[in-house]
Amino acid sequence: MTDRRLWSYKEIAAHIKVQPDTVRSYRKHGLLPPPDRVEGGKPYWYADTVRAWDASRPGNRRRREA
């Protein structure tokens, strides 16, 4: 089952337990995948995209716990 809900910086930040400005910085430095959609100039990512990115990023302690 795929999760096609769209997440903004706020939802991504809550998922990885950082501030939204940190997620914006990740994007600015090329550390986030490209947005799945852009609406009204704002980027959004599918929840599945974020979860896959989070599971594969270096230093992710939750990945090792699973």
Side-chain angles (χ1 to χ4, degrees), residues 9 15 17 23 27 31-33 48 50 53 55 62-63:
Y9 290 123
H15 180 73
K17 298 178 174 66
V23 180
R27 182 174 183 219
L31 301 174
L32 271 180
D48 283 344
V50 175
W53 164 78
R62 286 181 286 180
R63 180 182 63 203

Side-chain angles (χ1 to χ4, degrees), residues 50-61:
V50 175
R51 287 188 185 105
W53 164 78
D54 183 36
S56 67
R57 66 190 179 108
N60 185 344
R61 289 184 290 260

Side-chain angles (χ1 to χ4, degrees), residues 1-64:
M1 183 175 189
T2 59
D3 190 346
R4 304 302 271 181
R5 289 178 292 164
L6 291 171
W7 284 5
S8 67
Y9 290 123
K10 182 179 176 182
E11 287 83 18
I12 295 170
H15 180 73
I16 63 173
K17 298 178 174 66
V18 299
Q19 294 297 313
D21 284 342
T22 301
V23 180
R24 286 184 187 87
S25 178
Y26 287 174
R27 182 174 183 219
K28 177 181 175 183
H29 291 94
L31 301 174
L32 271 180
D36 293 302
R37 292 178 82 178
V38 176
E39 295 179 3
K42 295 181 182 182
Y44 294 93
W45 293 260
Y46 290 124
D48 283 344
T49 300
V50 175
R51 287 188 185 105
W53 164 78
D54 183 36
S56 67
R57 66 190 179 108
N60 185 344
R61 289 184 290 260
R62 286 181 286 180
R63 180 182 63 203
R64 286 185 227 123

